[in-house]
Amino acid sequence: MRRIRSVKRSVRFPVSTALLRRLAYASIVANVAIVVTGGAVRLTASGLGCPTWPRCTDESYHTTAEMGVHGVIEFGNRLLTFAVGLIALATVLAVLAYRPRRKGLLGLAVAVFLGIPAQAVIGGITVLTNLNPWVVGLHFLASMAVIAAAYALWRRIKDPDGPAVAVVPGPLRTLAALTMVVSVAVLVVGTWVTGSGPHAGDGGAARNGLDPEQISQVHADAVFLLLGLSVALIFAFRAVGAAGPARAATVLVAVELGQGVIGFVQYFTDLPALLVGAHMLGSCLVLLATLSVLWSTRERRSAPVPATASAEERVPATA
């Protein structure tokens, strides 16, 4: 009678790859949502609806009836921060529970999680500095950094753990990286435009002192540069037969055109609040589309399978 050597049983964990991706995707959506709701705070002049931080008032952590709708809007945005943080925490715990362990996931998940309180602190500083436009801009850019980390986590979960391999020539990867740099520059200059405009977030908040027309022209020039680079990427990727990167660049151009239309309409219609909010959402979409292009220029392949056991090790033990 043969006795087969016991084999190490696999343990089933409740955390699947699909669940990890859903959590990372939820983190992207939640952080985009907090950008849009943060814009609503500013566009409704509710930036000082809670006049202090971390409390809403000197006596209370929550809004009061006397503070009216502005207090409700500002306090609601603060509550959303806790919801975003809970999603980020759930993602960290899911990564820790996932088996087998994946390289790079924990660092990205922790970066997203730590970015939430960092963003909240910057938001508190904006309140304590009476909505200083430079700090408000930094608050927006911090949100963009968290969104970028959440996107990287979402993409990394899908990729295998093998080495990254370029799918386009080096010059095109450089062009994609340059496009990413210009995209970030457009976001930064966009905060300067906002800081010079009428939507201060509160009637008593100062502006950054830049000339709105001149800085808007600088912003427009950067946008045209970004659009030109993105169109060049489409033709360059098609020329080398890189279908995936070409599709990603096409999506980027489409998003940029939509964002550009909103930007020009809002400029020539005296910056209506609804269009400014849509423009903030568009900024998030441009960032995500640019990251998609950059990510498409390389792919990760499965790690080499370890050598199989020797013939002697595969012989079952007998009685």
Side-chain angles (χ1 to χ4, degrees):
M1 177 180 177
R2 293 180 177 271
R3 179 166 52 86
I4 306 299
R5 179 177 295 173
S6 61
V7 181
K8 186 178 181 180
R9 294 182 179 179
S10 60
V11 181
R12 178 178 289 275
F13 281 78
V15 178
S16 64
T17 302
L19 176 59
L20 280 182
R21 292 204 83 205
R22 290 190 188 102
L23 286 171
Y25 187 79
S27 191
I28 296 173
V29 173
N31 280 284
V32 171
I34 204 169
V35 169
V36 176
T37 58
V41 171
R42 179 165 53 81
L43 296 171
T44 58
S46 303
L48 294 178
C50 287
T52 187
W53 188 89
R55 294 173 181 248
C56 191
T57 68
D58 291 334
E59 295 79 22
S60 174
Y61 281 98
H62 57 81
T63 185
T64 62
E66 292 78 10
M67 300 171 68
V69 66
H70 294 308
V72 172
I73 294 173
E74 165 65 9
F75 183 68
N77 185 248
R78 294 188 183 188
L79 286 180
L80 184 58
T81 301
F82 288 100
V84 176
L86 287 175
I87 295 173
L89 177 60
T91 305
V92 172
L93 296 177
V95 169
L96 289 172
Y98 184 79
R99 295 293 185 277
R101 289 290 178 87
R102 297 283 310 281
K103 293 188 301 182
L105 295 189
L106 183 58
L108 288 170
V110 170
V112 174
F113 176 68
L114 294 180
I116 307 302
Q119 179 200 44
V121 169
I122 298 174
I125 295 173
T126 65
V127 173
L128 298 177
T129 58
N130 195 32
L131 304 182
N132 181 289
W134 299 107
V135 183
V136 172
L138 180 61
H139 190 212
F140 173 79
L141 294 175
S143 295
M144 294 295 103
V146 175
I147 290 173
Y151 179 84
L153 175 62
W154 180 66
R155 292 296 298 258
R156 184 67 184 86
I157 291 169
K158 183 180 179 181
D159 289 346
D161 287 333
V165 178
V167 297
V168 296
L172 296 191
R173 297 198 304 275
T174 301
L175 181 59
L178 177 61
T179 304
M180 184 76 247
V181 171
V182 175
S183 181
V184 172
V186 168
L187 292 175
V188 173
V189 178
T191 65
W192 301 347
V193 175
T194 301
S196 69
H199 297 294
D202 184 79
R207 302 286 74 201
N208 59 22
L210 299 176
D211 182 81
E213 291 190 6
Q214 291 182 355
I215 197 62
S216 294
Q217 184 61 56
V218 173
H219 182 60
D221 292 341
V223 169
F224 282 124
L225 175 59
L226 176 61
L227 182 61
L229 291 172
S230 303
V231 172
L233 281 174
I234 295 177
F235 288 102
F237 288 149
R238 287 180 176 177
V240 297
R247 284 194 299 271
T250 301
V251 171
L252 173 59
V253 169
V255 173
E256 288 169 350
L257 290 175
Q259 176 75 334
V261 169
I262 295 173
F264 277 108
V265 172
Q266 71 170 6
Y267 179 77
F268 289 109
T269 55
D270 295 326
L271 303 174
L274 186 61
L275 285 182
V276 175
H279 199 60
M280 294 184 69
L281 173 61
S283 298
C284 299
L285 298 181
V286 169
L287 173 66
L288 291 170
T290 311
L291 288 169
S292 178
V293 171
L294 190 63
W295 210 276
S296 71
T297 60
R298 94 287 182 277
E299 64 180 18
R300 287 185 179 272
R301 297 172 182 172
S302 299
V305 178
T308 57
S310 63
E312 291 79 5
E313 292 173 332
R314 293 197 300 267
V315 175
T318 56

